[in-house]
Amino acid sequence: MTGALFQAFIYLCAAVIAVPLAKRLGLGSVLGYLLAGIVIGPVSGLVGSETQAIQHVAEFGVVMMLFLVGLELQPRLLWEMRHRLFGLGGLQVVLTSALITGLGMLLKQPWETALTIGMILSLSSTAIVLQTLSEKGLNDSEGGRTAFSVLLFQDLAVIPMLAVIPLLAVAVSGEPAAGAASHESFTLVANLNGAERGAVMLAAIGLVLVGGHYMARPLFRYIASSRLREIFTAFALLLVIGIALLMTLVELSPALGTFLAGMVLANSEFRHELESDIEPFKGLLLGLFFITVGAGIDFAVLFDDFARIMALTVAVIILKGGVLYLLGLLFGLPSRSRWLLTLSLAQAGEFGFVLLSFSQQINALPAELLSKLSLVVALSMLLTPGLFLIYDRFAQSLPAKTKAKESGPIDTHGEVIVAGSGRFGQVVNRLLMASGVKTVVLDYEIAMIDMLGKFGIHSFYGDASRPDLLIAAGVESAKAVVIAIDDRQRAVEMTRFIKRNYPHVKVLARAYDVNHLYLLRQAGVDVAVRELFDASLSTGKEVLKALGLHPYRVEKMATAFRHHDEVGLNDLYGEWDEHQSISENKAILARAREHGKTLSSMLESDRTQFSAHSSRGWTPTETPAKKNDAEETGQ
Amino acid sequence: MPSTANTTNVPAPQKVLILFAHPAPHRSQANRPMLRAAAHLPGVTLIDLYAHYPDFAIDIDAEQARLREHDVVIFQFPLYWYSTPSILKEWQDLVLEYGFAYGQDGDALHDKLFLCAVTAGGLASAYKSGEGRNKSLRELLMPLEHMATLCGMQYLPPFALFGSRTAPEEGRIASHVSDWTRLLRALTRHELPISSLQDLPLLNEALHQQEKEH
């Protein structure tokens, strides 16, 4: 127990120290994690061989990341990017593998070994690249999207590679790859032939797609109706782990399975809630993964053969970058996007590690070569933040023909977030939608979301007052947030959170009463509207009309009343704020007194100056002295 | 060339108030560039009436105070049915009160300059006096001229852009905006020969003549 705690302490400590430091130095979080790993591993020896075991757990971060990527990627968008996915992605994998195979054969490796190495090194690091792209806000740029489609294809390509490598191993070692199926403790397809195997795999994928489409939503709805936050989180984790398990059982990539599941759920109302639930787990696990990569670097092997390993690493980066650059030209990318593609994907990746450990289990590669290749993969990943720095320094000035503005596959956020879709939020949202404003509606009442769905309004499940959900819903890029929830305390907290962290986002809130309105104002709200004021005023107007007053006079009186009320509200706010600083209780009492004052001053003005004010301008206060003047104005 | 003030001292700069009234400024191709040009000129205050008072609840006290602070008042508007958009009429009805703008002690506007900057969809030929039923723009804006006179203001002929809908593709916006800027500058610097302009049908030609003289 103490040992486990000590390890956890070391890992967390390293991350907490190194990552903010690396970010401050402009190196990005990934390099921070890698350096933290190097410090606690090979440099100080605080952690040892157990990093291997931890890495297997941490690889799950990649699986979660692909689930999140799937969530952000609706099937329609995937279809739109099919040319880049299969054309560019496919060519990248095939060309890079072929070139590295050729290089390997030049270095006197048998072609089977060379091909295995080629496939392993053709893969790039989804984890590093996606993390860095989103940190730098390049997700939605043309280069970022192209890089994403290449990564996606690589993740898919892992599956056939896992099937091909054992065949190559047989050729090399001359004996049947008995360990091929035993690298996992248990699978469903171990004793099946090819066709049956394929059928089982297809069935598993079908289960994920159909199950995700038809079963997940009723289940989510059932769990959401319990209103227990942690159970929803538990279910989200269960879903991801369950799918990963299913995929492992049929020897498919867990990343592929969760990616598909994410995509199926991309259109569901639970998308943002799922995102914000899985996100922290993903972040921690990925960080852990990067730390283990850093910790796993074997300095002994590295220093024994330093020049050769460095040369190989640089050769791999140049070769991969060269292929990507040529493909960028071939597919007509503008130069800035071409350089982003080239520099971001030139490293080998974590799936390379996965394939390497797989090759180790089935003896597809000699042990000495394996340790060197591990180093090449790790070093190339370690150099990636450096390549991004090169992009930042030099490529930013290059022309980018297509601006990042057009809607991309990874971003589907709205201009305005409407939090709460009850009677209040609905009307706001309807007006916005009718005016062509894109909105994201959040509500924690699942029945409400169902009801809105029937009217064709797409809304998401979740407690809008939670910061992480707001972030998942895209508060950073939103122009405004409408707080239409009926929980007063949370509305104030939300306002404070948004204005503190995203001061550029306008916050418009529903206030319960004057008291609440002041609290919102103190929290920095841009506009607060008392929820019943307009309805009450309208009713008052109808009463006056029913009493026989001329409708236009009533209109003018109500307008004057409104303006007078607003002036009073602003005046009293100054006094109220003074009392607020003394203590919470006294402030409430003071506010109550002020409230009474507002009311009496309002009534007073109603009797005396008010009526005159509303008709000013049409009734001269005294008889004009010069008759000709008065005639001309038609009084 | 200062002409109105014959004093040897350099007169204080005139403060110009533009009351702009367009109910759909996002669709206006002529008035928006005019607004942009006027927005940063020193001595010019620009008030978008429809933006200030979307509910037509005009703040009479604020508007009167604004009038007192300025020497030149300009109504800038598109010509709707030979007159102003409705908010400018409401503005007149409410702000130009007895005792403020006219009548006993109503001398707050005395000797201020008043003019209209108008954009009209119709061609210039439709506003030629005497041809058929046609009236000149100045004749059509007679109620505003009377308003100014009754309030003791000096009336200048309208500054107008005709055929405003086709003006952008005909490339007439830029020259109109530069005339507009020149007019506003001249107003703030006392450079307009007021008395010689007062009887003209339009201010536009006079601006060009003045430019040639310079």
Side-chain angles (χ1 to χ4, degrees), chain A residues 483-485 487-496 499 507-531 573 576 591:
Chain A
I483 302 176
I485 59 176
D487 186 320
R488 284 175 250 174
Q489 185 60 32
R490 286 190 178 181
V492 174
E493 283 162 14
M494 253 177 103
T495 306
R496 196 171 292 128
K499 289 315 280 188
V507 176
L508 303 97
R510 158 190 182 180
Y512 177 77
D513 53 13
V514 175
N515 194 22
H516 188 221
L517 186 129
Y518 287 162
L519 285 168
L520 287 165
R521 210 178 267 194
Q522 201 181 37
V525 77
D526 290 286
V527 178
V529 177
R530 280 167 290 166
E531 58 184 11
Y573 178 61
W576 175 83
R591 261 180 260 134

Side-chain angles (χ1 to χ4, degrees), chain B residues 57-79:
Chain B
I58 289 170
D59 185 337
I60 298 168
D61 292 330
E63 290 300 317
Q64 291 183 347
R66 228 185 325 252
L67 284 173
R68 283 182 215 276
E69 285 165 18
H70 290 82
D71 310 300
V72 182
V73 180
I74 300 178
F75 282 6
Q76 182 190 341
F77 59 94
L79 195 68

Side-chain angles (χ1 to χ4, degrees), chain B residues 167-182:
Chain B
E169 52 259 44
E170 291 163 13
R172 290 187 286 120
I173 296 288
S175 66
H176 184 71
V177 171
S178 76
D179 284 353
W180 170 237
T181 315
R182 196 176 317 120

Side-chain angles (χ1 to χ4, degrees), chain A residues 440-505:
Chain A
V440 175
V441 181
L442 304 170
D443 203 291
Y444 61 69
E445 202 73 69
I446 194 64
M448 189 61 82
I449 290 173
D450 284 348
M451 204 268 284
L452 290 177
K454 285 178 192 149
F455 287 98
I457 296 168
H458 196 47
S459 40
F460 295 97
Y461 167 80
D463 178 354
S465 66
R466 270 172 40 210
D468 51 352
L469 189 75
L470 277 175
I471 291 164
V475 63
E476 196 175 6
S477 54
K479 292 207 177 88
V481 177
V482 180
I483 302 176
I485 59 176
D486 49 15
D487 186 320
R488 284 175 250 174
Q489 185 60 32
R490 286 190 178 181
V492 174
E493 283 162 14
M494 253 177 103
T495 306
R496 196 171 292 128
F497 168 77
I498 297 168
K499 289 315 280 188
R500 187 177 300 155
N501 296 289
Y502 310 99
H504 60 281
V505 179

Side-chain angles (χ1 to χ4, degrees), chain B residues 115-136:
Chain B
L115 71 109
C116 296
V118 184
T119 57
L123 300 175
S125 55
Y127 297 95
K128 286 275 189 310
S129 183
E131 290 175 19
R133 291 188 306 275
N134 284 355
K135 298 279 182 222
S136 76

Side-chain angles (χ1 to χ4, degrees), chain A residues 585-606:
Chain A
N585 269 343
K586 280 186 183 170
I588 290 170
L589 292 172
R591 261 180 260 134
R593 280 202 300 277
E594 302 298 348
H595 208 64
K597 229 191 266 177
T598 329
L599 194 64
S600 62
S601 74
M602 193 66 77
L603 289 173
E604 216 168 277
S605 64
D606 203 14

Side-chain angles (χ1 to χ4, degrees), chain A residues 73-240:
Chain A
L73 189 74
Q74 290 160 23
R76 182 179 55 81
L77 296 165
L78 187 67
W79 181 244
E80 276 170 18
M81 57 191 269
R82 62 191 182 279
H83 297 297
R84 292 218 167 129
L85 184 65
F86 294 105
L88 222 162
L91 280 173
Q92 187 271 336
V93 171
V94 170
L95 280 178
T96 312
S97 303
L99 283 171
I100 294 178
T101 306
L103 192 70
M105 286 165 71
L106 275 180
L107 295 171
K108 307 250 169 12
Q109 295 287 344
W111 73 269
E112 293 91 347
T113 309
L115 180 56
T116 305
I117 298 172
M119 290 191 296
I120 289 172
L121 293 181
S122 70
L123 303 174
S124 307
S125 172
T126 309
I128 293 186
V129 178
L130 284 194
Q131 184 87 350
T132 314
L133 285 178
S134 83
E135 260 173 38
K136 294 188 183 295
L138 293 167
N139 267 344
D140 208 16
S141 68
E142 185 167 13
R145 275 185 279 156
T146 313
F148 174 75
S149 45
V150 173
L151 287 170
L152 198 57
F153 183 86
Q154 292 178 352
D155 293 345
L156 299 177
V158 172
I159 300 149
M161 286 179 186
L162 283 168
V164 170
I165 289 177
L167 304 176
L168 298 170
V170 176
V172 173
S173 59
E175 59 188 68
S182 67
H183 70 283
E184 298 293 351
S185 49
F186 176 71
T187 82
L188 291 176
V189 291
N191 302 316
L192 302 177
N193 65 30
E196 289 166 339
R197 204 176 259 239
V200 170
M201 286 175 180
L202 278 180
I205 290 180
L207 183 64
V208 170
L209 292 179
V210 175
H213 198 79
Y214 292 103
M215 277 158 59
R217 289 161 88 150
L219 272 174
F220 274 129
R221 201 160 289 152
Y222 168 72
I223 285 161
S225 64
S226 77
R227 300 278 281 274
L228 288 169
R229 166 101 208 275
E230 65 278 11
I231 291 300
F232 196 96
T233 308
F235 183 63
L237 279 176
L238 177 69
L239 182 82
V240 174

Side-chain angles (χ1 to χ4, degrees), chain A residues 305-326:
Chain A
D305 206 357
F306 186 75
R308 199 178 151 92
I309 287 171
M310 280 315 285
L312 273 176
T313 307
V314 173
V316 165
I317 289 178
I318 290 176
L319 195 143
K320 291 190 76 170
V323 169
L324 288 161
Y325 189 82
L326 287 177

